[in-house]
Amino acid sequence: MLFPFFVSTLLSTQIIAQKTIFFGLKAGLSIPSLSAGQNLNDWNKDYVSRVGPQFGIFANIPLNTNWSLVPELDFAGQGGKRNTLQPITIPEQYFDLFQSTFHTDKDYLYGTFKNTSRINFLQLPIQLQYHTHIALNGRLHFFAQFGPFIGYMLAAKQIVKSDSLRVFLTEDPASELPPFLVEEFFGTKVDTIIDGKKELYHWNYGIQGGIGFSYTLGKGKLSIEGGGNYGLRYLQIGNEHGKNRIGAGLVVMSYALPFNFNKE
């Protein structure tokens, strides 16, 4: 509750005192991953990074010579991918037969899939930026920034593919089921998209930061930045499939132009 008050106080007292606010566009790459945390299990482990888009609009609001407030509104392509042996749900009509035949209490087996999780957010970071000129007669600046963000989930798709499906009782390769059983119960290939949004929290919050360089080009500023963000809320509503947090490394370029609110 204190942070919005802090931001509003800064804006009300500082914007009037400053002549120029910069507005800009930014675009680049998000390298997101799903980190398995609480309740690690077969469903939520072994995800690695994928590449997604990152783009948005931002403002740079000067507070004094070296400090600025930088609010943004970004589209963040996040998620992860997994190509390891992973769970496959036993079809409901064969559930009792599988458990009695193979003497197991599990409700899933393991299959050879390519699994890509695409989770898109609309994010609002508000970062405090320190910047200082380092070369080229003050045209080249170094900056570092850090702050919180909130995000709203736009979509969450699980893309599952397997051109030659193999199924195992356990993660041991020696437990592979005969191909004729796999074909009868599951088919020979998988190509499906699962909408997972209803099983996930739609709102997320976390921290974001980065460092970079900006160069005065014409009336505006051209910047390149590397950084990242990390969500502090677990994605899953329930515990059945474990708990994951989401985050991403970022590499973006931006260009901002000045807007003078004061009449000379």
Side-chain angles (χ1 to χ4, degrees):
M1 298 299 293
L2 291 178
F3 185 78
F5 174 77
F6 170 73
V7 172
S8 63
T9 302
L10 283 175
L11 291 176
S12 63
T13 59
Q14 296 291 340
I15 291 178
I16 297 175
Q18 300 297 325
K19 287 186 177 181
T20 306
I21 295 176
F22 282 80
F23 291 94
L25 302 175
K26 63 192 313 181
L29 296 178
S30 169
I31 309 171
S33 66
L34 288 165
S35 60
Q38 188 182 39
N39 298 333
L40 175 67
N41 63 26
D42 290 334
W43 294 91
N44 71 333
K45 66 181 184 180
D46 296 336
Y47 279 94
V48 297
S49 296
R50 55 178 290 266
V51 176
Q54 179 85 15
F55 57 87
I57 58 176
F58 70 96
N60 189 296
I61 305 168
L63 302 179
N64 58 35
T65 302
N66 295 106
W67 293 92
S68 297
L69 196 66
V70 184
E72 302 179 18
L73 184 62
D74 299 327
F75 175 90
Q78 300 193 346
K81 62 182 181 180
R82 180 180 179 185
N83 296 329
T84 59
L85 200 64
Q86 50 199 289
I88 177 173
T89 302
I90 298 172
E92 184 177 354
Q93 63 270 35
Y94 305 126
F95 181 77
D96 292 335
L97 175 62
F98 264 99
Q99 287 198 332
S100 61
T101 301
F102 297 107
H103 307 290
T104 178
D105 58 355
K106 285 188 175 182
D107 58 359
Y108 62 90
L109 301 171
Y110 298 85
T112 52
F113 300 123
K114 292 182 179 179
N115 185 353
T116 301
S117 177
R118 294 182 181 174
I119 305 176
N120 298 327
F121 279 90
L122 190 65
Q123 291 185 340
L124 175 64
I126 300 178
Q127 300 177 88
L128 188 63
Q129 181 189 95
Y130 174 79
H131 50 86
T132 183
H133 63 83
I134 57 174
L136 303 178
N137 296 321
R139 297 173 70 87
L140 182 64
H141 285 71
F142 167 82
F143 65 87
Q145 57 192 33
F146 182 81
F149 77 83
I150 59 171
Y152 179 75
M153 185 181 296
L154 301 174
K157 303 292 185 182
Q158 203 83 6
I159 303 168
V160 183
K161 293 185 178 182
S162 180
D163 293 328
S164 182
L165 179 62
R166 299 167 64 193
V167 177
F168 303 79
L169 281 175
T170 69
E171 292 180 289
D172 182 355
S175 66
E176 184 174 2
L177 296 182
F180 76 90
L181 284 179
V182 174
E183 182 175 356
E184 180 177 350
F185 294 133
F186 300 100
T188 57
K189 62 182 297 183
V190 176
D191 189 353
T192 187
I193 298 177
I194 302 169
D195 188 350
K197 188 176 179 182
K198 64 181 179 180
E199 299 177 358
L200 305 175
Y201 289 111
H202 294 175
W203 289 96
N204 195 13
Y205 54 86
I207 53 176
Q208 180 163 316
I211 60 174
F213 298 91
S214 66
Y215 178 74
T216 301
L217 185 64
K219 293 184 178 180
K221 294 181 180 180
L222 178 67
S223 301
I224 184 168
E225 173 192 345
N229 57 54
Y230 185 70
L232 299 178
R233 187 181 197 182
Y234 288 115
L235 290 174
Q236 291 89 343
I237 296 175
N239 296 325
E240 181 180 355
H241 291 166
K243 293 287 188 181
N244 292 83
R245 288 192 175 103
I246 199 167
L250 305 174
V251 179
V252 296
M253 293 188 68
S254 64
Y255 187 70
L257 289 169
F259 190 94
N260 194 331
F261 283 96
N262 291 335
K263 294 181 179 180
E264 298 292 344

